[in-house]
Amino acid sequence: MPSPTTDRSDIPAPPEEVRIPLQAIRGRGAATALAHRFARDVREVADDGWGPAADADGHHEGDGSDAAAAATRVHLETARSAICANDSPDIFFELSVNPYRGCEHGCIYCYARPTHSYLSFSPGLDFETQIIAKHNIASVLRAELCAPRYAPRLLNIGSATDCYQPVERELKLTRSVIEVMRDARHPFSLITKSSGVERDLDLLAPLAAQRLAAVYVTITTLDAQLARRMEPRAAAPHRRLRTIRALADAGVPVGVSVAPQIPFITEGMEQVLQAAREAGATSAFYTVLRLPWELDALFREWLQVHYPDRAARVMARVQDLHNLSDAERRAGKTYQSDFATRMKGTGLWADLVRQRFTATCRKLGLNRDRVELDLGRFRPGLLQGQGSLF
């Protein structure tokens, strides 16, 4: 009789590790809380056989984990500064104000996602569920505009994360920033993909009449299903077109951003420009997809969830847009980060995108007249209760 110490035929073999397939989370752009680049530990989800069995799509019956992971939490932050200076020659404004960090819209392509790493948050799900709100931003901005050495320059509100994301309905931080700008007669532009900007037309319309305000609305696609996957909590494309119409009817200079252009995903640039022009937009701009830091892995993950059949082709064309060498491609590089080429790309495919955009704008009459905001109206003394003769 075999010794019990050597006979293991009756002991079942340990279960083979099974990777849980990635899946879309309802109302979110990212599929996972991807580890940020400063994290010491990297964790991957796997089925070890001890929990509830997962179905073919990776769902676990009755565990409710997705709902818990997708809850939004707002953190109030006491800001020490409000105005951020920008020295990038490829950006049209020199100053910016961002009332929020992180964005519940959840746009998978957002270049600001990697900034959440500085807060020890994931650029994935945390970026869209852990929102930082600078509750005192209006008072800090007021103090900075009153500083003796401050000189007015082109300023944009919401350049990093959307200033009209859902939490703005309650906190109204963007409205408070606009009120400070109004009181100081400081010109500004803002960019959004939310219909929430219509709430502040009572402020924006009079400022626009004095050449103190302009608005840009981002529309990446007219395909509502694609927009729901790519920008899950932003306004639907048709709703953004209504926002452009509302702004234009109120006399606010309004432009459309068709950024970013993603090869084999956002293929309707000409249709978006035409629809925006018909709604009242008078200017337009675009960028191509760029994938800094963790955004590279996040976007690849998103492609595997929603478009696995074309993921390799999309990424190859993204590399084409940035004209990467064979060595850079083999190293896994996906874009050029230098100021000269990062926004529009370079090479054959980037030139084709530029030609399409330029030809369509020329045909539609977009960008014929440049919106010039009036820096000469700035009166910081009005913020301190001083009168003005002008």
Side-chain angles (χ1 to χ4, degrees):
M1 183 175 179
S3 169
T5 60
T6 59
D7 182 11
R8 298 178 179 274
S9 59
D10 59 338
I11 301 177
E16 182 180 353
E17 183 181 83
V18 178
R19 295 291 171 185
I20 299 176
L22 291 171
Q23 62 183 8
I25 298 176
R26 184 182 298 274
R28 298 299 181 186
T32 65
L34 182 80
H36 60 81
R37 59 188 180 277
F38 306 116
R40 294 184 178 181
D41 301 317
V42 177
R43 295 176 174 83
E44 294 184 2
V45 178
D47 188 350
D48 60 4
W50 289 98
D55 61 23
D57 294 324
H59 296 93
H60 291 264
E61 183 178 357
D63 65 355
S65 58
D66 283 351
T72 300
R73 182 179 178 187
V74 178
H75 307 265
L76 297 182
E77 176 185 70
T78 300
R80 291 181 292 179
S81 63
I83 299 175
C84 179
N86 159 58
D87 59 0
S88 305
D90 54 355
I91 298 177
F92 71 90
F93 53 87
E94 299 174 77
L95 305 174
S96 63
V97 175
N98 290 284
Y100 304 100
R101 293 199 278 182
C103 184
E104 198 172 354
H105 284 163
C107 305
I108 193 58
Y109 52 74
C110 182
Y111 58 84
R113 280 182 176 271
T115 63
H116 241 42
S117 300
Y118 296 116
L119 306 174
S120 292
F121 284 136
S122 164
L125 279 175
D126 285 352
F127 180 79
E128 30 190 311
T129 60
Q130 305 293 329
I131 309 301
I132 312 300
K134 304 173 185 178
H135 69 91
N136 65 328
I137 192 166
S139 60
V140 175
L141 176 62
R142 183 179 295 269
E144 290 179 347
L145 294 181
C146 290
R149 295 186 178 182
Y150 178 79
R153 289 177 284 171
L154 293 178
L155 184 149
N156 181 267
I157 301 173
S159 60
T161 56
D162 204 305
C163 56
Y164 284 103
Q165 57 181 287
V167 69
E168 169 64 16
R169 299 170 192 161
E170 176 184 354
L171 298 184
K172 300 181 180 179
L173 299 182
T174 298
R175 184 175 178 88
S176 68
V177 167
I178 294 175
E179 289 172 339
V180 173
M181 303 296 279
R182 174 203 60 191
D183 294 344
R185 298 183 187 174
H186 194 303
F188 65 92
S189 62
L190 62 85
I191 185 165
T192 183
K193 52 174 64 77
S194 171
S195 59
V197 66
E198 296 176 34
R199 180 202 63 189
D200 293 337
L201 276 174
D202 61 318
L203 298 175
L204 295 171
L207 290 171
Q210 303 174 62
R211 292 195 297 141
L212 293 176
V215 176
Y216 297 89
V217 178
T218 300
I219 305 178
T220 50
T221 178
L222 298 180
D223 183 337
Q225 184 176 8
L226 171 58
R228 193 160 50 245
R229 293 173 178 172
M230 190 168 59
E231 309 155 337
R233 298 203 177 192
H238 73 274
R239 186 65 184 89
R240 294 182 226 178
L241 290 172
R242 283 172 51 193
T243 295
I244 290 178
R245 170 57 61 194
L247 291 163
D249 288 347
V252 178
V254 56
V256 61
S257 162
V258 289
Q261 289 297 300
I262 307 174
F264 308 118
I265 301 292
T266 58
E267 291 290 272
M269 178 174 65
E270 290 85 355
Q271 291 75 22
V272 173
L273 289 170
Q274 181 173 350
R277 182 70 182 96
E278 292 172 355
T282 57
S283 62
F285 71 90
Y286 80 98
T287 65
V288 297
L289 179 68
R290 53 192 182 101
L291 300 172
W293 297 105
E294 299 94 333
L295 189 54
D296 188 320
L298 278 167
F299 186 73
R300 291 175 187 267
E301 189 177 83
W302 181 84
L303 285 174
Q304 289 300 326
V305 171
H306 297 285
Y307 300 101
D309 57 328
R310 69 181 88 164
R313 188 159 57 118
V314 171
M315 293 308 301
R317 184 56 54 83
V318 170
Q319 292 174 318
D320 289 339
L321 283 171
H322 294 281
N323 203 26
L324 299 177
S325 67
D326 290 341
E328 289 172 325
R329 292 168 187 262
R330 287 193 296 270
K333 189 173 182 179
T334 52
Y335 94 113
Q336 301 284 7
S337 59
D338 61 280
F339 290 147
T341 62
R342 63 175 183 167
M343 294 295 192
K344 298 295 193 294
T346 185
L348 173 63
W349 293 106
D351 286 344
L352 288 175
V353 175
R354 176 183 54 79
Q355 291 170 20
R356 288 173 54 199
F357 176 81
T358 302
T360 305
C361 287
R362 185 186 304 115
K363 174 183 175 182
L364 297 174
L366 290 165
N367 294 333
R368 284 182 178 173
D369 299 314
R370 181 180 177 86
V371 176
E372 296 286 352
L373 299 179
D374 189 355
L375 295 170
R377 290 180 176 270
F378 180 57
R379 297 292 184 273
L382 296 175
L383 294 174
Q384 300 172 322
Q386 300 177 12
S388 174
L389 298 176
F390 307 97

